[in-house]
Amino acid sequence: MRSKILHHVQDLSDDELPAYLYDLAALRSHTRTIRRELPDPVELFYAAKANSDARLLRALGEHVDGFEVASGGELQHVRRLFPTSRVAFGGPGKTARELTHALEAGVERLHVESQHELCVLTTLIGERTVDVLLRVNPPLPLGRLPLVMGGQPSPFGMDPAQLDACLRVLAAHPRIRLRGLHAHLASGLDAPAQLALVERIVDWGARWTRAHGLPFDEVNLGGGMGVDYANPERFFDWSAFGIGLRRLLADHPGLTLRIEPGRSIGAYCGWYVTRVLDVKFSHGEAFAVLAGGTHHLRTPATRGHDQPFEIIPSDTWSWPGPRSAVRLEPVTLVGQLCTPKDVLASRVPVIRLRTGDRVAFAMAGAYAWNISHHDFLMHPEPSFHYLDDERPTTPETATADRQRPAQGAGDQTCPVR
Ligand SMILES: *Cc1c(COP(=O)(O)O)cnc(C)c1O
């Protein structure tokens, strides 16, 4: 799979760089593997905010049980692509307009974030019905992790006391049907840690529902399955996770569990490819200045990691003067932005990197292009390429999939040789 991508990079012209390459066949097969490892009463939703690119969503469509959306915009986008798919709508700060839209669009689950949100919903429900999960922030301290959404003071979900208040509201509004609980507490856990957390959440949920005389039917465990940017070959252990969930479900017959990962599904299928505009030495340290930068791939700047990359040597050189290069020493890979924060990878040892070589950053399929500050400095946007040996796309579908003119402008289809 990697060699296929690297081969494709060589076929791109300099004008097409920077580029995003998405390996849709790899995405499908990765998602199929995840699905296969999960026991049956565990539903797999994809968190659209990780990457809402229309063609990625289409590729995922038949391999997930549904989509989790976190805004009215995502809801509209997913509904347009999948008029009948199962959709869960979560996220803090839902407006009355978004809630109305959710009721009209027929979301399968609405994740209620606060008592106020529930009260707003009671004014909008009318003659309709809706199935809700209450998002809880249970008192389960988590310690240090890349992203923590709960188990500590947080704007997400509700303290147990607010859950109790919600039950009183729900009792007066039978058209808003309580289906269970939702808990998305952390991101970046490996499988044993995720399982340990899941056990605590399920145990807490079972006790809470029992205490309130409610059936313990359904828990959405959120996403957050770890992705190791320092070690692209080390995947979340879905097999161990699946075995653990099976064991847990044996203790809770009739319970349906749902997970809604984003990063661990999409990260691996995306590559951000660019070329080296300049190699220079400053006070003894090597810097490679690349076309593009963190305004296209913000992930390493927000997470403070080195984005893993491969060098694709290019032997064409047509400029006067010597070709600058760094050999057998660390180099810092930066972009074209006039800020010291525009760093994609810092002091990474390389065998050789020259002006004119190409660099392909791996693990750029989630929280990459779509979280980046595209307009800062007004550089051109990357081109987008979708590799798919299972189902070649056509230029017509490329046009239809266009979600925004900006992204569509660079769309190209690339049947894989
Ligand atoms: C962001 C988010 C997810 C997905 O998280 P990943 O770390 O991408 O797996 C799932 N559920 C909720 C509620 C989220 O906010």
Side-chain angles (χ1 to χ4, degrees):
M1 152 199 162
R2 228 190 73 208
S3 63
K4 186 177 78 181
I5 290 281
L6 299 182
H7 182 78
H8 190 84
V9 170
Q10 291 171 330
D11 292 344
L12 296 174
S13 72
D14 276 356
D15 286 344
E16 291 174 293
L17 300 178
Y20 265 95
L21 265 60
Y22 292 121
D23 188 342
L24 300 183
L27 176 66
R28 281 200 197 88
S29 108
H30 178 57
T31 313
R32 270 198 298 266
T33 305
I34 295 175
R35 176 70 274 176
R36 207 167 36 233
E37 301 293 359
L38 297 172
D40 247 351
V42 179
E43 298 174 345
L44 175 64
F45 275 43
Y46 170 71
K49 79 167 186 285
N51 189 339
S52 52
D53 184 289
R55 263 179 274 182
L56 259 75
L57 293 181
R58 280 235 169 92
L60 283 170
E62 64 194 77
H63 303 292
V64 294
D65 298 302
F67 295 94
E68 189 259 352
V69 299
S71 74
E74 284 185 358
L75 174 56
Q76 203 171 349
H77 180 59
V78 167
R79 263 288 165 260
R80 194 171 61 79
L81 291 168
F82 303 98
T84 58
S85 69
R86 299 165 67 191
V87 173
F89 185 15
K94 295 183 202 73
T95 63
R97 203 190 165 113
E98 287 177 310
L99 291 170
T100 304
H101 182 191
L103 293 172
E104 285 165 358
V107 298
E108 190 210 26
R109 290 289 181 273
L110 188 68
H111 302 160
V112 174
E113 286 270 346
S114 76
Q115 184 186 354
H116 169 63
E117 191 174 286
L118 184 61
C119 290
V120 174
L121 190 62
T122 63
T123 69
L124 305 170
I125 188 78
E127 299 301 305
R128 292 174 286 231
T129 55
V130 66
D131 293 319
V132 302
L133 302 182
L134 298 177
R135 179 167 179 183
V136 57
N137 179 4
L140 306 173
L142 296 167
R144 275 186 64 81
L145 286 166
L147 290 171
V148 176
M149 273 69 70
Q152 63 181 39
S154 132
F156 307 110
M158 290 178 259
D159 286 4
Q162 266 222 359
L163 286 193
D164 296 0
C166 284
L167 288 185
R168 291 192 288 276
V169 176
L170 287 166
H173 294 87
R175 289 180 167 276
I176 306 175
R177 298 183 296 219
L178 179 64
R179 293 291 184 178
L181 297 172
H182 177 284
H184 170 71
L185 301 186
S187 165
L189 298 169
D190 63 13
Q194 184 89 30
L195 261 180
L197 177 58
V198 164
E199 281 166 16
R200 292 166 77 195
I201 291 171
V202 167
D203 180 58
W204 190 92
R207 279 186 288 119
W208 183 83
T209 44
R210 201 179 316 123
H212 292 83
L214 298 166
F216 190 48
D217 290 336
E218 187 176 319
V219 181
N220 183 321
L221 300 162
M225 292 71 189
V227 161
D228 190 349
Y229 290 89
N231 198 342
E233 314 290 326
R234 219 183 86 196
F235 292 92
F236 185 85
D237 189 343
W238 287 102
S239 165
F241 188 59
I243 290 167
L245 291 182
R246 192 168 287 126
R247 214 170 31 221
L248 183 65
L249 284 164
D251 294 336
H252 298 279
L255 178 65
T256 297
L257 294 176
R258 178 181 291 178
I259 58 171
E260 46 183 26
R263 190 186 305 271
S264 54
I265 291 182
Y268 301 95
C269 80
W271 295 74
Y272 175 62
V273 183
T274 185
R275 61 199 175 99
V276 182
L277 298 174
D278 213 344
V279 171
K280 42 207 272 198
F281 289 83
S282 170
H283 298 265
E285 278 195 34
F287 291 84
V289 182
L290 312 176
T294 52
H295 53 305
H296 294 166
L297 177 60
R298 192 184 159 90
T299 327
T302 51
R303 290 177 65 93
H305 68 225
D306 295 325
Q307 195 71 23
F309 64 88
E310 313 262 348
I311 294 169
I312 301 107
S314 165
D315 288 326
T316 48
W317 178 254
S318 55
W319 302 103
R323 185 175 183 184
S324 51
V326 48
R327 285 189 178 80
L328 298 174
E329 62 174 291
V331 59
T332 294
L333 277 60
V334 303
Q336 292 171 287
L337 303 184
C338 309
T339 157
K341 297 188 174 172
D342 189 21
V343 176
L344 293 154
S346 184
R347 298 194 179 109
V348 180
V350 293
I351 293 171
R352 184 186 69 178
L353 184 61
R354 301 165 297 177
T355 304
D357 283 342
R358 294 182 172 189
V359 177
F361 290 95
M363 301 179 80
Y367 304 102
W369 166 252
N370 65 328
I371 63 156
S372 304
H373 42 297
H374 310 151
D375 291 337
F376 187 38
L377 265 83
M378 299 181 76
H379 285 293
E381 295 199 340
S383 59
F384 287 80
H385 306 261
Y386 301 83
L387 279 64
D388 193 350
D389 33 304
E390 285 183 27
R391 228 161 298 178
T393 45
T394 65
E396 286 72 41
T397 62
T399 313
D401 285 351
R402 215 175 263 180
Q403 40 170 329
R404 287 189 204 119
Q407 177 153 357
D411 276 0
Q412 302 197 20
T413 50
C414 302
V416 173
R417 57 230 76 241

